[in-house]
Amino acid sequence: MTVALVPYDPAWPSLFQQTVVELRAHGNPGWVIEHIGSTAIRGMSAKPVIDVAVRIADDSDFAAHRAGLEAAGWRVGSAVRAHRVMIFVEDGERTRIAHFFETASWDRVNQRILRDWLRTHPEDAELYERAKHAAAMAAQRGTASYNDGKTVTIQAIIDRARAERGLPPVPVSDKR
């Protein structure tokens, strides 16, 4: 499997803003939406996919707006099992992924914690970037999946970040 990591693109923040407008227009206009994932880390290479965290009141909030999002081209689909996920595909490629987290868990969302940590800890951002490139090469050789190749590094970084916030460690892998 080929994983295409590309250099940081200064257009990613604008693409994130466009995604916010789209999700609010077809979903709930009051949703809090944040840029997460590697495209949210200035200077970091990444798969060119905009990941966002969407704060929903609860599962009924998601359910009430799902049809509008689907009408706009979003579809439910992901191996993630800990929360709702919708993806947007253009020309056969995922371009945007929306992760929906309930308000009750918002402050403990690992994706948000990782983003905040990497933005303020350049040594861990470099460590993570090296792990991503090694994982991409392993995926290309067929010796490991891209996500599995990054998990050990992500777990170590998340453990540090959660500890600094007084949160207990939790497993980062939540895929089926």
Side-chain angles (χ1 to χ4, degrees):
M1 174 185 171
T2 301
V3 174
L5 296 176
V6 299
Y8 179 81
D9 185 339
W12 288 339
S14 294
L15 294 172
F16 159 69
Q17 290 299 330
Q18 291 170 19
T19 303
V20 170
V21 169
E22 178 183 6
L23 288 169
R24 287 182 178 150
H26 299 285
N28 182 335
W31 281 339
V32 171
I33 303 172
E34 295 181 1
H35 195 177
I36 59 171
S38 295
T39 60
I41 311 300
R42 186 167 303 282
M44 183 170 284
S45 59
K47 294 185 296 182
V49 178
I50 303 298
D51 281 275
V52 300
V54 182
R55 189 176 72 193
I56 57 174
D58 53 31
D59 202 47
S60 65
D61 185 13
F62 174 82
H65 298 94
R66 178 178 169 175
L69 294 170
E70 287 175 337
W74 289 86
R75 65 179 173 87
V76 172
S78 171
V80 172
R81 58 180 185 255
H83 58 273
R84 300 283 190 160
V85 177
M86 294 190 88
I87 62 172
F88 199 94
V89 175
E90 296 176 274
D91 299 324
E93 298 289 330
R94 287 182 182 193
T95 58
R96 299 185 293 284
I97 303 174
H99 301 260
F100 295 84
F101 300 100
E102 294 187 9
T103 299
S105 65
W106 187 251
D107 291 334
R108 296 181 315 277
V109 169
N110 281 336
Q111 293 87 336
R112 297 179 66 241
I113 292 169
L114 180 63
R115 176 212 51 213
D116 293 348
W117 185 267
L118 294 177
R119 285 178 171 173
T120 59
H121 293 81
E123 66 287 350
D124 275 342
E126 289 174 23
L127 175 68
Y128 180 48
E129 183 148 21
R130 286 192 308 271
K132 287 173 24 150
H133 284 280
M137 289 190 311
Q140 190 168 359
R141 289 190 309 268
T143 57
S145 77
Y146 176 68
N147 286 329
D148 288 346
K150 303 182 307 178
T151 298
V152 170
T153 301
I154 293 171
Q155 186 70 61
I157 294 169
I158 283 290
D159 287 350
R160 285 192 288 279
R162 290 179 67 86
E164 185 175 271
R165 291 179 179 213
L167 297 171
V170 296
V172 294
S173 182
D174 64 353
K175 300 207 174 166
R176 289 182 212 124

